[in-house]
Amino acid sequence: MDLITLLPFIVLIGAMFLMTRSAKKKQAAAAQMRNDMQPGTGVRTIGGMYATVKEVHDDTVLLEVAPGVHAVYAKNAIGAVLDDAEYNRIVHGDDQELDADGTVVPDDASSLTGDADAEVAKIDLGKDDAADDAETEDATAKDVKDAKGEGRTDGDADSK
């Protein structure tokens, strides 16, 4: 056989080998992470629930999902072991970076414009009171004509 005809098969086998090798590395890293769990650390399950590890067994983990509420999970259900700062930031809302920095985010977009002192022209999109009253009177007159049958042009009149 020719080397050119075997080349696509060799490339395909090589690509499959590289893909399985990277997947095995990821699985090994996840297993190592799960084995390194210690009681008291914060974790995120694969379902997205945050909890604190209370006990670690061979294949299971006892998690405290709320104060005084414990649940047994399989080790494979642990998606990530979080460090203390990240766990406290997510679960308790403790954000030390913002407290130390002291920056305040404004509620409006006025800080995004270059000149904050410039007065913004306000456009009144509301109708005038006189125009509003005139439209109300026109609508009332039309309703009265329709009720009497006077405003009809199609030849249909109410017959009694």
Side-chain angles (χ1 to χ4, degrees):
M1 286 193 120
D2 223 5
L3 182 65
I4 296 175
T5 56
L6 291 178
L7 187 63
F9 294 112
I10 294 171
V11 169
L12 183 63
I13 291 171
M16 289 174 53
F17 173 74
L18 291 176
M19 286 189 289
T20 58
R21 192 173 117 199
S22 67
K24 284 182 182 179
K25 281 184 180 180
K26 287 180 184 179
Q27 287 177 350
Q32 182 65 32
M33 176 225 17
R34 290 182 187 115
N35 289 333
D36 290 343
M37 279 189 298
Q38 298 295 324
T41 59
V43 295
R44 181 182 63 235
T45 65
I46 58 174
M49 183 172 52
Y50 293 91
T52 304
V53 177
K54 289 297 176 185
E55 295 177 8
V56 179
H57 302 287
D58 291 337
D59 293 330
T60 61
V61 179
L62 181 68
L63 299 179
E64 184 177 23
V65 295
V69 179
H70 297 91
V72 177
Y73 278 81
K75 272 190 176 180
N76 290 340
I78 305 301
V81 177
L82 307 172
D83 59 346
D84 290 337
E86 183 178 6
Y87 181 76
N88 288 332
R89 181 183 60 82
I90 293 170
V91 174
H92 302 297
D94 298 341
D95 201 1
Q96 296 171 353
E97 292 176 7
L98 290 180
D99 294 341
D101 188 18
T103 57
V104 177
V105 178
D107 290 339
D108 58 359
S110 62
S111 64
L112 299 177
T113 60
D115 189 13
D117 295 334
E119 188 173 324
V120 178
K122 294 184 179 180
I123 300 172
D124 185 17
L125 297 177
K127 295 180 180 179
D128 294 341
D129 290 338
D132 193 26
D133 291 339
E135 286 180 11
T136 305
E137 289 174 9
D138 291 341
T140 305
K142 184 178 179 182
D143 290 340
V144 169
K145 283 184 181 180
D146 285 341
K148 291 182 179 178
E150 297 174 357
R152 298 189 180 186
T153 58
D154 60 354
D156 293 335
D158 291 334
S159 58
K160 293 188 177 183

